Amino acid sequence: MIYTGKIFTRSVHNPVLTPQSIPASQDKLKIECLLNPGVFRFNCKIGLLVRVAERPVQKEGLISFPYLDASGRIEIKEIQKDNPELQAEDPRVITYRGEDYLTTMSHLCPVFSEDGIHFNELPEYKRIYADDSYTSFGIEDCRVSQIGEEYLLTYTAVSPNGVGVGLKTTRDWKTFTNYGLIFPPHNKDCAIFEEKVNNRYMAFHRPSSPEIGGNYLWLAESPDLIHWGNHRCIARTREGKFDSARLGAGCAPIRTDKGWLSIYHGATEKNRYCLGALLLDTETPSIVLARSETPIMEPELPYETTGFFGEVIFTNGHLLDGDELTIYYGAADEVICMAKASVTDILNTLSLK
Ligand code: MAN
């Protein structure tokens, strides 16, 4: 059976978080975007690990952005907009004198809620900041997986060294163990499965190959969460479809009786970001049993089509209550929204090969 109706129902409270919802990390910075949260449950509350993207208030004729200097202090770089050595067509990234920079610097802020709609920052749970030469342009899009009491945080680490994946773990959201980079550049969109498969940890990741190959979704396994091997490419971009330019995993996949259901993002050459689904074999998740032909959710509402970077729906966190899936997602790279779907409805959109 192919389900043809709308799959996700958006919250009437959307957006649930905006750049005005929390204070900036310091006086000289302003929050431009709240986006792409990791999602978890902790102490009977719903937690979001929100990506907070900041920069100074922009002055006429200048582009200015923060970065971490060699001593770990936030510095501001200012460039004249009419400088011939500046390329600034993309609001997210600029190139200056042949070097790439991000226009904002991100950190991660945990916020908590009883009802999944109203979220607050709690003083005892601190924000997580960039802190080394592999995160000097920021930390982004953190997936939160839970195995037993342990939370596994896989985040995108951005620096002049490239874009890689870092791992931190915590049990109490107060003390963290840092493992540094587990996937070197260029890699992002890493999500660790919430249970072992054949006694191995499993993770989605997204290396990018600039020449032969592309921005494809890969699977890796590990005995210890630190050393990853047996890499397999499980989903490539598809010409003419919603995932024609790049794709990457959301968070940990959902175990269903049909296999592992993974919600992923796919983008076109025009940077339109939609959501799709993959169904993977339960015992051998590198086997793809089914994949969305068309998006299961796409930017439609004004808060998704316009914003810091419009036409973007990006999710890397959800909650599961029986058959009900609640996703939190970044909309237009500016605000955080929530939507619900039935897992059965999503599975019904997938035709098994
Ligand atoms: C990339 C990531 C995301 C972002 C999208 C859309 O895939 O950096 O953080 O939301 O682009 O801009």
Side-chain angles (χ1 to χ4, degrees):
M1 184 185 86
I2 297 290
Y3 184 91
T4 51
K6 294 258 184 217
I7 295 144
F8 280 95
T9 306
R10 288 156 173 90
S11 169
V12 291
H13 301 285
N14 282 347
V16 294
L17 287 162
T18 73
Q20 288 73 45
S21 302
I22 56 170
S25 64
Q26 49 181 278
D27 287 346
K28 64 181 176 186
L29 299 177
K30 171 183 176 242
I31 299 177
E32 292 290 349
C33 325
L34 290 189
L35 63 166
N36 310 352
V39 181
F40 56 97
R41 290 182 206 268
F42 176 65
N43 278 354
C44 304
K45 290 195 169 62
I46 296 170
L48 301 184
L49 190 58
V50 171
R51 172 176 164 202
V52 184
E54 299 176 309
R55 66 181 174 191
V57 173
Q58 299 295 287
K59 294 182 208 142
E60 186 69 32
L62 285 177
I63 284 187
S64 62
F65 55 89
Y67 65 97
L68 220 56
D69 72 8
S71 65
R73 270 197 308 267
I74 300 259
E75 287 293 330
I76 306 293
K77 200 172 185 76
E78 281 193 343
I79 304 167
Q80 292 283 348
K81 276 192 175 159
D82 58 5
N83 190 308
E85 290 178 293
L86 173 72
Q87 287 166 257
E89 294 78 34
D90 190 319
R92 305 166 301 173
V93 195
I94 58 165
T95 308
Y96 179 60
R97 294 190 171 153
E99 300 280 332
D100 294 329
Y101 299 93
L102 294 184
T103 57
T104 58
M105 183 172 177
S106 293
H107 64 270
L108 305 172
C109 176
V111 293
F112 297 90
S113 171
E114 305 275 351
D115 62 4
I117 302 289
H118 303 93
F119 286 90
N120 290 308
E121 198 176 358
L122 302 177
E124 59 270 42
Y125 302 108
K126 306 288 180 224
R127 299 189 188 189
I128 303 171
Y129 292 98
D131 57 3
D132 62 15
S133 60
Y134 296 102
T135 54
S136 56
F137 288 170
I139 47 179
E140 304 182 349
D141 301 351
C142 189
R143 279 76 176 167
V144 179
S145 300
Q146 189 178 355
I147 299 186
E149 301 273 286
E150 188 145 53
Y151 297 90
L152 312 170
L153 281 55
T154 46
Y155 56 91
T156 306
V158 192
S159 78
N161 297 310
V163 176
V165 175
L167 171 70
K168 292 179 194 286
T169 61
T170 185
R171 284 170 179 257
D172 58 7
W173 290 93
K174 290 181 178 166
T175 51
F176 294 84
T177 307
N178 289 316
Y179 293 94
L181 291 193
I182 54 167
F183 291 102
H186 187 105
N187 208 315
K188 49 167 51 178
D189 300 327
C190 176
I192 297 174
F193 286 40
E194 295 189 306
E195 57 185 282
K196 288 182 176 178
V197 180
N198 302 319
N199 206 28
R200 285 277 197 264
Y201 294 105
M202 309 292 297
F204 294 126
H205 65 112
R206 210 290 294 284
S208 292
S209 179
E211 284 134 15
I212 295 173
N215 305 296
Y216 306 154
L217 206 162
W218 288 62
L219 188 68
E221 55 184 65
S222 170
D224 58 6
L225 294 171
I226 299 161
H227 304 91
W228 293 90
N230 200 9
H231 298 273
R232 277 140 307 155
C233 180
I234 61 166
R236 304 205 325 217
T237 47
R238 298 175 296 183
E239 212 182 318
K241 291 203 159 60
F242 71 96
D243 46 13
S244 58
R246 67 192 77 87
L247 68 152
C251 59
I254 302 154
R255 184 193 254 285
T256 74
D257 57 9
K258 303 235 164 28
W260 295 102
L261 176 67
S262 163
I263 310 294
Y264 72 94
H265 66 266
T268 61
E269 287 74 8
K270 289 189 169 159
N271 286 316
R272 183 166 195 264
Y273 280 72
C274 296
L275 302 184
L278 280 166
L279 186 66
L280 311 176
D281 184 77
T282 307
E283 290 300 312
T284 313
S286 57
I287 299 174
V288 177
L289 303 174
R291 178 172 173 184
S292 300
E293 292 298 321
T294 53
I296 55 170
M297 188 169 165
E298 53 191 319
E300 281 173 316
L301 294 185
Y303 51 76
E304 298 164 346
T305 56
T306 29
F308 186 79
F309 195 70
E311 299 289 339
V312 171
I313 283 183
F314 189 103
T315 188
N316 53 266
H318 61 228
L319 297 169
L320 194 63
D321 295 284
D323 187 56
E324 185 185 75
L325 178 72
T326 303
I327 61 161
Y328 289 87
Y329 63 98
D333 275 0
E334 187 171 320
V335 295
I336 294 173
C337 296
M338 187 265 258
K340 288 181 187 283
S342 139
V343 170
T344 309
D345 285 351
I346 299 174
L347 288 171
N348 285 343
T349 66
L350 298 169
S351 29
L352 287 173
K353 283 178 189 157

